[in-house]
Every structure is written in C-alpha cells, then in structure tokens.
Amino acid sequence: MKDFLRDTIVALSTAPGEAAIAVIRFSGVNSVRIAASLIQLRSKKELSSVSPRTLVNCTVIDNGLVLDEGMVVRFAASASYTGEDLVELHIHGNPIIVDRVLELSIEQGARVATAGEFTRRAVVNGKMNLLQAEAVGALISAESRQSVFLAHHQLHGELSKQLYNFREQLLSLLARLELELDFVEEGYAFASEKEIEKVLTSIRLYVEELIRTFPTAERLSRGPRILLLGRPNAGKSSLFNSILGYSRSLVSITPGTTRDYLEERFVHNGVTIRLIDTAGLRNANDEIEREGIYRALEMVPVCDQILYLIDSTQTSTIPEEMQFVHGLRLQHPSISITSVLTKSDLASSLDDQHLSISIKDVSTVKNLLEILSKGYGTKQSTAALAVLNIRQLNLLKHIHDLVSEIQAQSAIPTEVLSALLREILIPISELVGETTSEDVLNKVFDSFCIGK
Amino acid sequence: MNSYYDVIVIGGGHAGIEAASAAARIGCSTCLITMTISAIGRLSCNPAIGGMAKGQIVREIDALGGEMGRLADLSGIHFKMLGKSKGPAMWSPRSQNDKDLYPHFAQQRLQEISNLTLIEGVVGDVGVKNGAVSSVQLQDGQRIECRSLVVCSGTFLSSRLHVGEQSSVGGRMGEPSAESLSEILRHYGVSTGRLKTGTPPRIHKDSIDWKLCTPDVGDAHPVPFSRQTAAVTNQIQCYLTTTTKDTHQILESGFDRSPMFTGRITGVGPRYCPSIEDKVYRFSDKDEHQIFLEPEGLATDSVYVNGFSTSLPEEIQEAALRTIPSLEKAQILRYGYAVEYDYFPSYQLQHSLESKVVKGLFFAGQVNGTSGYEEAAAQGLLAGMNAARAIQGKSSVVLDRSQAYIGVLIDDLVSLTISEPYRMFTSRAEYRLLLRQDNADIRLAHIGYEAGLVDRKIAQEVQSLTESIEAAQDLLKKHRVKEQDSSGQAVSLWQLLKRPECLAQTILPYVPTDSPLAELLTDERLVEQIEISARYDGYIQRQLQEVERFKGIEESQLPATINYNAIVGLSSEGREKLIRISPRSLGQASRISGVSRSDITILSMYVR
Ligand SMILES: Cc1cc2nc3c(=O)[nH]c(=O)nc-3n(C[C@H](O)[C@H](O)[C@H](O)COP(=O)(O)OP(=O)(O)OC[C@H]3O[C@@H](n4cnc5c(N)ncnc54)[C@H](O)[C@@H]3O)c2cc1C
Ligand SMILES: Nc1nc2c(ncn2[C@@H]2O[C@H](COP(=O)(O)OP(=O)(O)O)[C@@H](O)[C@H]2O)c(=O)[nH]1
Ligand SMILES: [Mg+2]
C-alpha cells in the first residue's frame, strides 16, 4: 500500500460502450509521460510543453500505426481535480480503441483506477472535504433535477459551512466554559446558560430538519417507486406499457401472465420514476405465479406509492375492491395509495369520485401521470440542503442524540458539560475535519482577559 | 572531587532538584552543578505551589516519587483547595509557602540523598563525543565527565533583567546570567529562541493598611500535597484588594517607557499571566483588576503583590501601587522586573525529553519554554528518570495523555510550536475527568514504584486500595434495596449513590453489617473514590471509551526514518512541521498545528 499515492492511475471516464467520444483520464506523477507515449501532437510539440488546460489535436499511435485521432488536455497538479498532474485524452467511443489505449497505458506503467479513486485522491490531496466528495458521487447518480441541486449545494460546501459554523459556536462556548474552569477562583461566568441553550437548540433544530427530510431526499436521489397492484386482468401491464410507451411486459387476457415483477425507470418532469408491474392478486394455484404474488406484496413496504387498479367493467367486485384498498391503507399508513378504475372506455357509467383511465385514451394516462408527478420534484422543496447518505445521516443522528442528552438534563456540572460539548465536536469533525484541544485554548486567550 | 558522574544536572531550580534526586535514587552517581547552592529551590516568583491544573501536577509528582509535594508541605503556611465550587475533577490544591523555608528544605533534602553530590559553579562548556554527551566544563576550568546531562538552567541563559528603561545582565534579581551555555549548544545543532516573563513588586507588610482588604483564609481542614505528609496547618492569612481607575491612568502614562511597549524586550511574554500594563492596555474597558496580597513567609516582612506583574519604571510602579486601596502608603522592598532569556524550542526533544540531535542530552524546565515551578519539576522528574534509565539500558518512561497531566505537558511540548511560555491548564487535558488530584497515586504510583522512586510499602497500599475500590463498586452494583418512595422498586446501592447529593453516608443504613461492604466503607479514601466515580459514572466510561478509540491512532507509530520529502501530496506547511517535529505516532502528528487533516490521511496510508 506504500505506493498507493505514487502510482499513476488511468480509467475510462465516460460511459462504456459505443459512443461518439470517450474520455480517458490519467492522474499521478507520470500521467503526462504515459499519455505522451501513446500520442503524437499534431503541432509536433511535446505534451509536457503544451500549456495546461488547453485542448490540442493528437493522433493515438499503436506500434507505429494510427489507432485513432483525438484531442488531449493536461492539468497541472496545482489546479487539477485530483491535486495531481492529470491528463484527459478524448478519442472515439469505440470499446476496441478504448481497451487498446488502456492496455498501452498499463504497459507504460499506469494502473487501472479503482472505483472513485480520482475523487479519493482529490480528498487526500485536500482538494475537497469528505462531504464534498460524497456530493460528487451523489451528483453523478442523482435521479432527479432536485437531487442534482441538492448535491450541488453540498458540493459547494453548504453543509460543511453550516457545520463549521456550529463548530465555531461550540468552540466559542467551550472556550468560555474553560476560562470559567481554569480561573474558577476569579469567579467568572462567561457563558450563560441561556446562550448555551440557544446554540444547542439551533444545532438540534437544524440537524432534526436534515434527519426528518432524509427519507424524501433519499427518495429523490433514487427516484420514487410506484407499484401497480390489482387483480389479474385489471389492466396493470397495459398501463405499464402505455406509460413506458413500448411493450415491455406481456399483455394477455388469460389471468396471471405477469408472473414475477418488472421494474422500469422513466423520466417525467425531471424526476426518475420507477414503475413496477406485478402479478395479479388472487389465490393462484400456479407455483410460479404464487411466487409472483408473494413478491408483489413484498414490494409494498419499500415503494413510495401504490396504484391499485380496479377493472371498472367488473361492477360487482368494485365495493369489495375498495374495501381491500381501505385495508391496505390501514396497514401501510406511510405509503400513498391511489385507487384507479381502468378500462373506462368500456364502462357504461362511472362516478367522478374515482380516478379513471383507459389505455385507449392517451389523455387519461397523461392526466394520471400529472397527478402522480405532483408529489415529486416539480416544485422546489423548501429544504435547500439534504443529507446525501447513511454515513452523514448516522453522524447527524449522533450529534442529535448528544445535544438532546445535554438538553434533557438539568444542572450539569461545568466540567461535565464541557466534556459533553467536546463530544459533539467529534461527529462534526468526522463529517468535515479535525479539532484539537489547542483550538479551544487559542479561542480562550484570543479574546479574554485573564488574571493570574 | 570526582571527575566522573553517570548523570550531571545543570541548575538547582525546581526542575534540577527533581532530576538530580530521581537520577541518584534510581542508582546513578549524580552531580548537581548550580551557580549558588544556597539558592537551590528558590521561588523566583510567587512563593506558592499548586493552583488550578498545577496542583494536580504536584500530586502526580508525589505519586511518581518526586520531591515537590513534600517540600511544599514542609514549607507551606497557607493551604487552600481551589475549584471547590465545581466538581472534583476541578479541585486543585494550592499552598502559600515561606520563601526561605522552601529552599531550606530543598537543600536539606538533596544533601541527604546518598548518590548525589552538589557542586557550586557555572557550567560554561559541554563536551560531545561521537554525537553523545561526554563532559561539562565549569567556568573555573574544571572538567567533569558524564554519560547523561540534564540541562535545567531556567531563566539564566544569556538573560537580561528589565526595570523601566534600565536593563542589566542577570537570571534573577541579584543573580548572574550564564552567557556561554546556549551558544555552545547552538554549536552542536540545538536551536534557541527568546522568551520573557515578569514578576511583581514586593512590599513591606507594615506599610499595608490591612483593614482595607478582604481576608482570604485558608481551608478549615487543610490537606497536604504528599501522601507521606501526615498533616499541615495554616499559619497566615492572605488578603485581597483591587486596582482603581487612578491606578490604570498612572500605568498608562508610563507605557512609552515600558520595555515591552518600546520593543526593548524581544522575547514573547505569556498571555496567561499578563503584566498589569498588558491587562490595562488590552482590557481598557475593565475598571478594576484583582490584587492578592500574599506574605512571603513567616520570618519576613515581604509581601508579594499577586496580579501586579510589571516592568515599568520604578517611580511609576510606586505611584500606581499607591492608588490601590490599602496600599496608599506602600513601601516597596523590591521593584517588579522582567527577565528575558534563551530557551530551547522543545520540538527538538523526544518524549523522553532527550535531545534528538545529541545523545544523552536532556532538557527540563523553563529552558523548554514552560513557565511555572510545577511544570518545571514535572519535567525534571521525568528527565532525571529517563537520563538514569538510558544509562541502565532501560526504556524511557513516557506517560500518555490519558494517564497524567504530565503526559499532556510533555506531549504538548514536543508537538506544539510555542510562541509564549507554556503553562498548564485543565483545559489542555482531554481526559480531565480521569486526571484528578484525588486519584494521582492510583494512576501513577505503580509507575513510580517500577522506576525505583516509590517505596514498596506505598505501592502496596495503593494497589490494595485500588482492589478494594473495585470490590466495593462490584458489591454496590450487586446489592439491591427497595426504594423508600411509593414505587417500592428495587434499585442497586450504586444507583442510589449516583443520585445528586447522595453520599456514601446516605446509603450506609442499607448496608448489612455483616457484608464485606460495611468493612470496606470505613476507609475514607475508598469512600471518596467511589463517591466521585458514582458522580462521574457514565462520563468516565465515555472518556475511557474515547481513550480506546484513539488508541489506534495513538499507537500507530511513525518511524523516525520516514522521509517526508518523498511523500507526495503533503501540504508544504505540514511537511515542514513534520520534518521539524518528527512525531512518533499518528496521534501526535494530528496534534501538530499546521499538519492538516489531509496530511494525516496521507500519512495513515503510508503507515498502513
Ligand atoms: C522574574 C521571574 C518571573 C517569573 N514569573 C513567573 C510567573 O509569573 N508565573 C510562573 O508560573 N512562573 C514564573 N516564573 C517562573 C518560575 O520561576 C520558573 O518557571 C521555575 O522556577 C523554573 O524552574 P527551572 O528549574 O526550570 O529553572 P530555575 O528555577 O530558573 O532554576 C535554574 C537554575 O539553574 C542554575 N543555572 C542556570 N544556568 C547554569 C549554569 N550554566 N551553570 C550552573 N547553574 C546554572 C541557576 O542558578 C538556577 O538555580 C518567573 C521566574 C522569574 C525569574
Ligand atoms: N378496452 C380496454 N381494454 C383494456 C384496457 N386495459 C387493459 N385492457 C385489456 O384487459 C386485459 C388484461 O390486461 P392486462 O394488462 O394483462 O391486465 P393485468 O393482468 O392486470 O396485467 C387485456 O386483454 C387488455 O388488452 C383498457 O383501458 N381498455
Ligand atoms: Mg399483467
């Protein structure tokens, strides 16, 4: 592991597969040398003499033959993503060419980067803190416009800023508590109970809000899951296909053709929605189908919304079905469950009370989609910030527990209070950076008079 | 006179006393060379030992088998436990001492140690052979060989005294300066810096109008520092008064003639015990500052004006003092002055207090940039111990930050780049709830015993106390009683004890007389320990968990051979500090200011 930071790493930075272009990235002390050995610049200059951040034409050479034509740009360590010398080679997006370039790079001494290694190096080299690195990850995998915004906020250090701010406030309190303790004979009281309470409450409220919005933020970042339920033949698969716009699952009039479940993603109004088609609900005899039904019910707790489809042509069963929906709602109060009457084109009369659709009438499906997407991402959420992952969530919960513990007690001795406040700094530091007790001291003496 | 000793100690200050005593008692032939034998143990500044954080250090010195606790008890004339308004972790013993008796007992004590020789003289040269210390030479030409040398020369290296616009050469009023020692050591590659510290005027006790001050009485039941002292008594009272607006005005009129303001003193002074002119200048919104009037002894007329450290011209000191209620007719016996001296930035030391550049060369006390008798003594004790152990081929004794204030002190010294004299504060200790004055012996006596400085009898007593405490805690946790209230629930005696205001006395009626617990609870020390543990229970557990948590990083060694220049990605400031300080663990590296978190991440990858 000793040479961990000394290797030069290489990787394809664009998505694999056929594409117009592919970008191959090199980072490390030898990145310019290795990249230069693969290419010839059209200008005949050396890559090392091209000024940084300038894109220039080049040909990729494989054993004297031209493998590809492309462009290349280098970044100096002082101003690169990773904090190391970095080169990007832009070539045609053909897996054969890409693989060959990687092969040649390895021959020249590069190592294929591990997952996230470029960003990890950026953290190690102090180009960004851990929260920001996590934001980069979140940004790349964001499944909604809003979670893109949230990730950007964190990338720009919004959460870090707030945490640094809390840390400042805690350090300032600690500094004053310490002063009180170290000069106890002088009888100073520099931090009032009220002030301590104020700081703790502001931290608690802030953290509480982040913890509270986590499920929403999490759903946003992975996109909501909508589950289609209903009896066989209710029209689930038909709706599924109609929404996705192409035939994905089998549609048939024999009840029970959708034997397992199918999940597809589609983007609507900037939100990635996962739509899940399931087998119909009834007492199936077929082994495989029973399994499918079982699976469908298993999906219920992990989805965000259920569309329960009811065949409007089966008028006699409608009350019974409504009853079933009611039961589901009681069982899963946190999931929004909507009943939808299908095949409205065939129904003789339909009351306006219920949402009804027909796959024969595109406008009814569109209308349903509008209603669905209202809950997700169409309007900006009030929270400008969000927790991006479980690590952050757990540390924030830890902060919350510590603050609540202090606030729940009365008359804590000063020396214990100080130890507890210091404890809050640990998860904050883990989220963003470090603290030592010299920090506290520096604070103390920067601003106060001390008798001997 | 011999021409060889295993260990030579330069300087008979508080560091030198401990270093010489420890090295000799461990079994090395030892010699203490000091300018004036009758000045050994002199209290240069305030005749007081202990106080916040420092009192804990004195207890630790005593637990490890050092001298300071007993000397303070013998010469103490006023004892007070400070911090009583807070919890037990903040309690700090302090004594007011007779300024003549302290040195008297110190000299008497050193003279009775068999392996130890006292020599009067000034060390002017140090001999080094093959990178290791080999000898010292006195100014009279005499050369003495040695294998370990402990430099405890305090404020005496190339030192200058300042009173107003006058400066003179000297290490303490009326005592000379050692002019060549720091130059010699620089020659061997040890770098030096300049620091300064000041002391207030002393006044005649009969010139004070005592009626106008508030008395500051000692404790009703004074407790000694040392577990070997049976009892101590209060023999005097101290008094309190405050400065006035007039005082501040007069002081301000002299700012342009103060050596600190005019830049004549280039050394940096402590923020922690600032001079009175500093306080007036920096905190101009305060109308008064506290002044303690502390008699310097039983047989002296001299009174120490605590809180009035100054180096202003004499006539201004006098005029300003006389605006203070009760001091209107004050007669000054000695004016306040400041001393400026060479010190050796302590990042040049290993945790054993041995120099990184010259083998066998140890440094302790104010020369390392600290301020305070207790800080000096603590270093002296460890340096003396380790100087002797090095000769005996034993590994050095290093205390860690969770074990003792002394551990915090030395770890800070070797890790921090100080810009002013370092003094101890309780806030410097992360594990303050564990490092208390009441449990110093429980924490450290075994270490003192293993080092050969603590008697077997004491070590055994402490050991059996420790075991009894554990046994008593177990029994308290097991023994359940019915609640007195309506609930009638069963709770353990331990849970009862944890309640605020609940003392061991309160639970005694519940303890069956035939239980071993009843017997255990007759021991006062044990009762004290379990009451405190109960009070801090939970918090102590958490601190212990934290100690565990940081063990990994504390124990992650950084080899001395590590080439920081070859590590890609370190910040330039971090790299420079790491090269200079050469931390021994990742934990220490993380405490160096200027070493960033990302530097630590990079380092942790290197040592993995
Ligand atoms: C003016 C003044 C003001 C102070 N103010 C404060 C204060 O406000 N607060 C506080 O906490 N502390 C203060 N102190 C500091 C306190 O006195 C010291 O921290 C403590 O005494 C240091 O102990 P030491 O053993 O390191 O050195 P010292 O007590 O200074 O002893 C050094 C000894 O070494 C001897 N020596 C030095 N060089 C040689 C040599 N070359 N050869 C032989 N012998 C040598 C000297 O004669 C002396 O005996 C002050 C000290 C002075 C002088
Ligand atoms: N006329 C009409 N027929 C529909 C509609 N939706 C579904 N069907 C038919 O109903 C039958 C069952 O549909 P399917 O989607 O397989 O139901 P599933 O078992 O719930 O998945 C198929 O023959 C579909 O063509 C609709 O809106 N209008
Ligand atoms: Mg189907």
Side-chain angles (χ1 to χ4, degrees):
Chain A
M1 224 32 196
K2 290 233 191 293
D3 289 327
F4 175 81
L5 292 161
R6 246 184 286 196
D7 325 359
T8 294
I9 49 174
V10 62
L12 173 65
S13 289
T14 42
E18 274 176 36
I21 54 169
V23 177
I24 291 176
R25 191 145 67 155
F26 303 79
S27 179
V29 272
N30 293 321
S31 53
V32 172
R33 179 187 63 70
I34 294 173
S37 73
L38 311 175
I39 57 173
Q40 263 171 21
L41 300 194
R42 187 176 305 161
S43 60
K44 300 284 177 239
K45 281 212 280 194
E46 281 300 317
L47 179 57
S48 54
S49 61
V50 174
S51 47
R53 297 166 176 246
T54 313
L55 205 53
V56 293
N57 292 86
C58 67
T59 42
V60 182
I61 309 292
D62 179 5
N63 285 324
L65 300 175
V66 173
L67 181 67
D68 197 7
E69 298 199 337
M71 303 194 81
V72 68
V73 56
R74 78 177 182 94
F75 299 84
S78 56
S80 78
Y81 179 71
T82 54
E84 303 172 336
D85 284 343
L86 189 144
V87 176
E88 279 179 15
L89 182 58
H90 300 229
I91 53 177
H92 288 106
N94 176 335
I96 296 173
I97 302 174
V98 168
D99 286 351
R100 184 64 187 146
V101 170
L102 291 177
E103 229 171 79
L104 291 170
S105 313
I106 292 163
E107 279 172 24
Q108 291 298 320
R111 170 171 68 73
V112 176
T114 58
E117 197 172 352
F118 288 94
T119 305
R120 183 169 164 185
R121 288 187 174 201
V123 173
V124 164
N125 294 324
K127 284 280 160 180
M128 56 176 75
N129 70 24
L130 202 51
L131 287 174
Q132 289 170 315
E134 285 171 329
V136 171
L139 183 63
I140 291 170
S141 61
E143 291 192 346
S144 71
R145 249 190 333 248
Q146 206 186 333
S147 57
V148 167
F149 294 137
L150 290 176
H152 264 298
H153 266 100
Q154 206 169 100
L155 186 56
H156 291 142
E158 295 297 327
L159 180 56
S160 320
K161 241 182 259 163
Q162 191 53 255
L163 289 170
Y164 287 132
N165 179 19
F166 288 145
R167 179 156 77 179
E168 280 303 297
Q169 293 180 19
L170 286 171
L171 283 174
S172 152
L173 284 181
L174 272 168
R176 284 174 290 157
L177 286 177
E178 289 305 335
L179 198 66
E180 196 178 314
L181 287 172
D182 275 326
F183 297 90
V184 68
E185 292 309 299
E186 269 92 326
Y188 296 123
F190 285 107
S192 71
E193 223 162 275
K194 230 167 102 190
E195 196 183 347
I196 296 169
E197 204 53 36
K198 206 178 118 199
V199 171
L200 289 177
T201 303
S202 75
I203 296 177
R204 185 170 49 79
L205 293 180
Y206 180 81
V207 171
E208 249 164 32
E209 174 68 8
L210 284 179
I211 296 172
R212 193 184 59 75
T213 56
F214 178 72
T216 323
E218 218 243 327
R219 190 186 62 207
L220 278 177
S221 74
R222 86 173 138 67
R225 273 193 168 142
I226 300 176
L227 187 65
L228 298 177
L229 282 185
R231 290 197 179 201
N233 257 343
K236 300 181 292 295
S237 303
S238 307
L239 177 63
F240 184 79
N241 295 333
S242 160
I243 290 176
L244 294 174
Y246 61 96
S247 193
R248 174 69 170 77
S249 65
L250 278 174
V251 183
S252 85
I253 38 165
T254 327
T257 14
T258 317
R259 304 201 153 186
D260 208 321
Y261 77 90
L262 292 165
E263 179 174 314
E264 273 300 333
R265 297 191 295 179
F266 67 97
V267 178
H268 185 77
N269 284 349
V271 182
T272 308
I273 296 176
R274 288 154 197 255
L275 193 61
I276 302 164
D277 184 22
T278 62
L281 296 178
R282 59 152 213 197
N283 298 324
N285 297 321
D286 185 315
E287 186 64 30
I288 300 173
E289 196 181 318
R290 218 181 5 242
E291 177 65 23
I293 292 168
Y294 176 67
R295 287 269 199 110
L297 286 173
E298 220 177 30
M299 299 295 292
V300 172
V302 298
C303 69
D304 305 288
Q305 179 154 30
I306 293 172
L307 289 186
Y308 192 88
L309 306 196
I310 304 168
D311 187 342
S312 62
T313 60
Q314 308 286 315
T315 38
S316 60
T317 61
I318 293 180
E320 190 188 313
E321 289 283 82
M322 289 298 178
Q323 199 55 42
F324 183 76
V325 171
H326 184 66
L328 262 186
R329 283 201 182 111
L330 290 180
Q331 270 176 35
H332 304 281
S334 64
I335 301 169
S336 124
I337 302 173
T338 313
S339 52
V340 180
L341 294 174
T342 56
K343 311 183 190 175
S344 60
D345 54 305
L346 300 178
S348 45
S349 72
L350 275 176
D351 57 27
D352 300 340
Q353 267 186 313
H354 293 286
L355 191 58
S356 59
I357 55 155
S358 161
I359 56 158
K360 307 267 155 91
D361 180 356
V362 184
S363 70
T364 61
V365 176
K366 273 198 175 147
N367 179 44
L368 176 68
L369 270 183
E370 282 316 310
I371 293 169
L372 283 185
S373 64
K374 229 174 229 164
Y376 316 111
T378 41
K379 55 175 191 280
Q380 287 293 306
S381 125
T382 46
L385 268 183
V387 180
L388 295 184
N389 57 37
I390 300 285
R391 183 191 79 91
Q392 296 178 2
L393 180 73
N394 285 341
L395 284 168
L396 289 167
K397 280 186 176 160
H398 187 172
I399 295 172
H400 186 260
D401 290 350
L402 290 170
V403 173
S404 311
E405 182 191 343
I406 299 175
Q407 291 196 312
Q409 294 176 61
S410 57
I412 306 180
T414 318
E415 72 277 12
V416 171
L417 177 61
S418 160
L420 292 175
L421 290 180
R422 269 176 209 242
E423 234 180 287
I424 304 177
L425 295 175
I426 298 172
I428 292 186
S429 287
E430 276 177 35
L431 276 162
V432 292
E434 287 290 320
T435 15
T436 68
S437 66
E438 186 69 9
D439 293 3
V440 180
L441 269 188
N442 285 341
K443 283 259 157 184
V444 173
F445 297 107
D446 281 349
S447 43
F448 289 101
C449 160
I450 301 98
K452 185 170 154 178
Chain B
M1 201 182 292
N2 290 355
S3 60
Y4 168 83
Y5 292 91
D6 293 336
V7 178
I8 291 178
V9 176
I10 304 178
H14 304 280
I17 291 169
E18 300 291 348
S21 159
R25 283 154 60 219
I26 283 175
C28 288
S29 65
T30 305
C31 147
L32 171 66
I33 306 173
T34 192
M35 289 179 177
T36 321
I37 289 181
S38 64
I40 288 177
R42 205 169 265 180
L43 300 159
S44 341
C45 192
N46 190 356
I49 301 291
M52 296 307 289
K54 293 160 173 265
Q56 281 89 325
I57 293 183
V58 181
R59 281 277 155 85
E60 292 178 356
I61 292 172
D62 189 64
L64 288 167
E67 306 290 351
M68 180 169 256
R70 265 175 303 157
L71 296 177
D73 289 339
L74 285 168
S75 59
I77 51 178
H78 179 273
F79 294 83
K80 196 171 176 181
M81 186 66 81
L82 306 187
K84 278 281 209 176
S85 62
K86 305 287 174 191
M90 304 311 299
W91 298 5
S92 311
R94 179 184 191 268
S95 67
Q96 197 62 51
N97 298 72
D98 185 306
K99 77 168 169 44
D100 299 317
L101 286 180
Y102 192 100
H104 166 78
F105 286 114
Q107 289 154 33
Q108 195 178 61
R109 168 66 181 151
L110 293 185
Q111 261 142 10
E112 76 194 25
I113 296 174
S114 53
N115 258 340
L116 177 63
T117 309
L118 307 182
I119 295 179
E120 204 164 70
V122 178
V123 174
D125 194 5
V126 172
V128 172
K129 258 189 220 143
N130 304 327
V133 153
S134 61
S135 67
V136 298
Q137 186 165 25
L138 305 190
Q139 272 175 2
D140 66 11
Q142 189 191 347
R143 177 169 291 280
I144 309 174
E145 317 259 303
C146 65
R147 285 176 64 192
S148 289
L149 177 64
V150 191
V151 179
C152 306
S153 47
T155 53
F156 287 76
L157 300 185
S158 309
S159 41
R160 301 291 174 270
L161 301 174
H162 301 269
V163 187
E165 287 144 314
Q166 277 144 32
S167 19
S168 53
V169 174
R172 207 155 42 192
M173 203 48 91
E175 294 180 47
S177 147
E179 290 294 303
S180 59
L181 195 54
S182 38
E183 182 54 48
I184 297 295
L185 293 174
R186 268 196 294 271
H187 166 77
Y188 290 123
V190 180
S191 48
T192 61
R194 214 81 184 127
L195 287 174
K196 69 148 205 226
T197 186
T199 190
R202 314 297 202 266
I203 52 183
H204 196 290
K205 72 171 200 283
D206 295 340
S207 68
I208 300 170
D209 188 352
W210 296 103
K211 293 188 305 293
L212 297 179
C213 340
T214 322
D216 178 27
V217 290
D219 286 339
H221 303 287
V223 258
F225 283 104
S226 173
R227 59 169 290 140
Q228 295 180 69
T229 305
V232 290
T233 51
N234 287 320
Q235 300 170 58
I236 54 145
Q237 255 187 15
C238 296
Y239 291 87
L240 233 138
T241 180
T242 57
T243 59
T244 62
K245 280 188 185 157
D246 292 342
T247 324
H248 299 183
Q249 234 166 31
I250 295 178
L251 291 170
E252 276 164 13
S253 74
F255 279 179
D256 55 340
R257 295 164 69 199
S258 159
M260 286 171 328
F261 282 81
T262 51
R264 218 158 351 102
I265 299 187
T266 48
V268 187
R271 265 185 303 182
Y272 310 135
C273 38
S275 65
I276 186 71
E277 50 262 41
D278 246 341
K279 287 195 252 183
V280 169
Y281 176 73
R282 282 166 52 191
F283 307 103
S284 49
D285 52 326
K286 277 200 125 190
D287 290 342
E288 53 175 60
H289 295 281
Q290 261 182 348
I291 300 292
F292 290 87
L293 298 174
E294 303 174 334
E296 289 209 291
L298 299 173
T300 170
D301 296 330
S302 176
V303 173
Y304 180 91
V305 189
N306 193 349
F308 203 82
S309 173
T310 178
S311 57
L312 282 169
E314 295 178 357
E315 64 276 17
I316 293 178
Q317 290 189 23
E318 186 158 330
L321 267 183
R322 290 186 169 174
T323 59
I324 297 176
S326 79
L327 301 185
E328 290 85 353
K329 299 200 174 108
Q331 183 203 336
I332 297 187
L333 295 177
R334 200 175 74 197
Y335 287 92
Y337 66 95
V339 58
E340 185 192 2
Y341 53 94
D342 280 345
Y343 79 107
F344 304 103
S346 46
Y347 58 77
Q348 305 174 88
L349 301 178
Q350 308 173 35
H351 275 82
S352 58
L353 296 177
E354 183 174 358
S355 157
K356 285 175 185 165
V357 275
V358 181
K359 218 170 150 265
L361 178 61
F362 293 75
F363 291 88
Q366 193 123 356
V367 284
N368 285 340
T370 61
S371 160
Y373 312 131
E374 305 78 2
E375 288 87 344
Q379 295 169 62
L381 175 58
L382 271 289
M385 242 191 239
N386 289 332
R389 291 172 73 89
I391 291 174
Q392 298 173 341
K394 291 183 184 152
S395 64
S396 11
V397 172
V398 175
L399 303 174
D400 70 46
R401 301 180 74 92
S402 60
Q403 257 178 323
Y405 273 94
I406 302 178
V408 174
L409 168 71
I410 295 178
D411 186 59
D412 275 351
L413 284 183
V414 302
S415 313
L416 302 178
T417 317
I418 59 153
S419 55
E420 63 193 314
Y422 176 104
R423 71 160 273 193
M424 186 48 74
F425 287 100
T426 67
S427 50
R428 295 193 188 272
E430 296 84 341
Y431 309 113
R432 182 165 55 193
L433 300 182
L434 302 173
L435 307 184
R436 303 186 308 270
Q437 57 90 25
D438 62 78
N439 66 1
D441 53 354
I442 298 176
R443 289 183 276 125
L444 301 170
H446 64 284
I447 297 174
Y449 172 65
E450 279 153 31
L453 294 175
V454 168
D455 286 351
R456 187 187 187 83
K457 187 171 149 282
I458 293 179
Q460 277 170 348
E461 276 168 24
V462 174
Q463 174 67 21
S464 88
L465 172 66
T466 311
E467 284 162 12
S468 305
I469 293 170
E470 274 165 27
Q473 282 190 4
D474 273 357
L475 289 168
L476 286 167
K477 283 176 187 163
K478 279 192 197 125
H479 197 88
R480 289 173 165 271
V481 292
K482 283 250 160 54
E483 279 275 36
Q484 294 287 32
D485 65 13
S486 55
S487 77
Q489 272 186 334
V491 290
S492 71
L493 289 177
W494 182 253
Q495 276 166 312
L496 281 183
L497 203 53
K498 275 170 66 172
R499 295 190 182 159
E501 313 302 319
C502 182
L503 296 173
Q505 270 181 342
T506 337
I507 59 159
L508 274 182
Y510 297 102
V511 180
T513 42
D514 58 345
S515 153
L517 196 53
E519 161 80 39
L520 288 169
L521 289 180
T522 57
D523 182 338
E524 265 177 53
R525 261 312 289 289
L526 179 140
V527 166
E528 174 198 36
Q529 288 302 306
I530 57 163
E531 280 175 353
I532 295 172
S533 317
R535 177 160 182 174
Y536 284 140
D537 191 41
Y539 305 118
I540 288 186
Q541 292 311 319
R542 278 153 86 150
Q543 294 222 318
L544 287 172
Q545 275 165 17
E546 232 178 279
V547 172
E548 272 314 300
R549 232 168 65 87
F550 286 108
K551 254 203 177 125
I553 150 160
E554 288 305 331
E555 283 171 3
S556 185
Q557 302 289 317
L558 294 173
T561 52
I562 201 163
N563 179 1
Y564 291 105
N565 279 319
I567 301 179
V568 186
L570 290 177
S571 68
S572 59
E573 190 190 354
R575 189 191 311 275
E576 184 216 318
K577 291 279 176 67
L578 286 165
I579 292 172
R580 191 199 302 166
I581 292 167
S582 177
R584 79 189 169 126
S585 71
L586 215 49
Q588 191 195 342
S590 72
R591 284 186 291 275
I592 299 174
S593 72
V595 174
S596 69
R597 199 179 64 90
S598 75
D599 293 335
I600 293 299
T601 317
I602 294 180
L603 277 183
S604 66
M605 288 179 187
Y606 264 77
V607 291
R608 231 195 344 236

